[in-house]
């Protein structure tokens, strides 16, 4: 069976004091769940979060990393640095990184390789913009994002890859893809993977939905057969809401 996963992407929110408060609230909410639970604090709070959640069923993950091993890349963080503080999973390709920091498919393919070389798991994000959906090009856009960054890999490496479909028009807008829209796209994504790597591999890859996922719509989304969980932005900043989403499984 595929892993069910709910991951909170805290983005550029929460200083150390606010992070500490959110961690305390998360610990109060922890329950056994069939889903794997992850949170992605900002880099400055990663180590503190890791120490604070040690031994609990919440994995601390990173929001980004550079593809180089080390060197003259002012302001960047390497895979080795993340691993050295206990972080084993990284989000790559978020639409905000693509839009505001000019991350290209080509750079993302390199980040993917580096993360896998370091035995890290990846939550690889992609998704179409509103104009793509309006012109009926959403499948073409999504397929090319996946192919350009991931299709150079041998199939077995997908054991460490989690996909996150995040339609840009649904991120932080309050507008969620309908469960049917999410299911249709997730099924398409799985078929795209299967065409390249076979159904054995495609059926084992968890595909998360992200974009205004909240307690009120999580259950409907998660009951769809190809929706294996969520990547949560805004609602993950509130421990009660976040665990309401985790418990939607
Ligand atoms: P929101 O849940 O705030 O729409 O953000 C989704 C997201 O970008 C998660 O990575």
């Amino acid at each position: 069976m595929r892993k069910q996963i709910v991951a909170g992407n805290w983005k550029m929110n929460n200083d150390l004091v606010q992070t500490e408060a959110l961690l305390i609230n998360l610990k109060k909410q922890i329950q056994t769940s069939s889903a794997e639970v992850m949170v992605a604090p900002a880099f400055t709070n990663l180590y503190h979060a890791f120490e604070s959640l040690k031994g609990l069923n919440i994995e601390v993950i990173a929001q980004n990393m550079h593809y180089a091993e080390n060197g003259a890349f002012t302001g960047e963080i390497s895979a080795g640095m993340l691993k050295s503080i206990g972080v084993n999973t990284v989000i790559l390709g978020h639409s905000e990184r693509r839009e505001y920091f000019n991350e290209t498919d080509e750079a993302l393919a390199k980040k993917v390789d580096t993360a896998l070389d370091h035995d890290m798991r990846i939550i690889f994000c992609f998704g179409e913009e509103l104009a793509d959906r309006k012109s009926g090009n959403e499948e073409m856009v999504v397929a090319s994002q996946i192919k350009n960054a991931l299709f150079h890999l041998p199939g077995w490496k997908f054991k460490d890859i989690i996909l996150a479909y995040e339609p840009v028009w649904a991120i932080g807008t309050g507008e969620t893809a309908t469960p049917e829209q999410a299911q249709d796209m997730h099924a398409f994504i799985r078929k795209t993977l299967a065409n390249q790597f076979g159904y054995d591999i495609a059926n084992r890859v968890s595909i998360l939905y992200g974009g205004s996922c909240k307690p009120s719509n999580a259950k409907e989304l998660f009951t769809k057969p190809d929706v294996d969980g969520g990547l949560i932005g805004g609602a993950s900043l509130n421990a009660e809401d976040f665990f309401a989403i985790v418990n939607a499984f």
Side-chain angles (χ1 to χ4, degrees):
M1 208 182 80
R2 283 193 292 275
K3 278 187 200 126
Q4 300 171 323
I5 298 167
V6 177
N9 177 8
W10 295 358
K11 308 191 180 184
M12 196 174 75
N13 293 296
N14 292 338
D15 62 18
L16 184 59
V17 172
Q18 293 163 326
T19 296
E20 179 56 30
L22 182 48
L23 291 169
I24 289 170
N25 284 336
L26 283 174
K27 287 193 238 189
K28 286 189 196 147
Q29 299 287 330
I30 290 183
Q31 302 171 19
T32 26
S33 159
S34 58
E36 266 187 55
V37 182
M38 308 174 179
V39 293
F43 285 131
T44 51
N45 299 317
L46 268 182
Y47 184 61
H48 180 72
F50 178 80
E51 287 293 313
S52 170
L53 295 175
K54 222 178 217 170
L56 304 173
N57 285 331
I58 303 181
E59 184 183 350
V60 176
I61 70 173
Q63 297 177 17
N64 180 34
M65 53 161 248
H66 198 266
Y67 53 75
E69 290 300 318
N70 50 48
F73 297 100
T74 300
E76 292 291 328
I77 301 281
S78 73
M81 291 171 188
L82 295 175
K83 290 281 288 195
S84 75
I85 59 163
V87 172
N88 291 312
T89 302
V90 63
I91 298 172
L92 293 178
H94 194 282
S95 63
E96 288 147 17
R97 301 284 329 159
R98 293 175 190 260
E99 183 178 352
Y100 305 127
F101 304 97
N102 305 317
E103 288 200 5
T104 59
D105 289 345
E106 195 187 11
L108 287 167
K110 290 200 228 172
K111 290 187 178 202
V112 163
D113 289 343
T114 303
L116 294 175
D117 284 348
H118 283 262
D119 292 324
M120 295 182 79
R121 286 200 297 177
I122 297 164
I123 298 183
F124 184 77
C125 306
F126 52 86
E128 83 282 2
E129 295 184 18
L130 186 58
D132 303 321
R133 186 158 277 268
K134 282 197 167 148
S135 55
N137 286 332
E138 65 272 19
E139 291 189 346
M140 199 186 74
V141 168
V142 161
S144 86
Q145 287 172 325
I146 296 172
K147 286 177 187 169
N148 292 342
L150 301 176
F151 272 23
H152 63 287
L153 297 170
W156 63 269
K157 294 222 175 185
F158 277 78
K159 71 177 178 31
D160 290 323
I161 294 181
I162 298 154
L163 299 181
Y165 168 59
E166 299 204 306
V168 177
W169 49 270
I171 295 179
T173 58
E175 191 177 340
T176 320
T178 64
E180 291 69 33
Q181 283 173 321
Q183 168 56 28
D184 286 352
M185 184 56 91
H186 284 219
F188 170 76
I189 294 162
R190 206 175 299 288
K191 189 163 83 96
T192 304
L193 281 185
N195 289 343
Q196 177 77 2
F197 301 106
Y199 266 105
D200 250 17
I201 287 171
N203 281 335
R204 270 186 242 139
V205 175
S206 299
I207 308 176
L208 316 184
Y209 167 80
S212 299
C213 184
K214 42 191 183 257
S216 57
N217 58 27
K219 201 177 193 78
E220 255 197 303
L221 285 160
F222 295 171
T223 47
K224 292 294 177 191
D226 286 292
V227 179
D228 305 308
L231 183 55
I232 319 299
S236 73
L237 298 171
N238 176 295
E240 288 81 12
D241 286 351
F242 183 57
F243 269 94
I245 294 171
V246 172
N247 293 327
F249 273 112

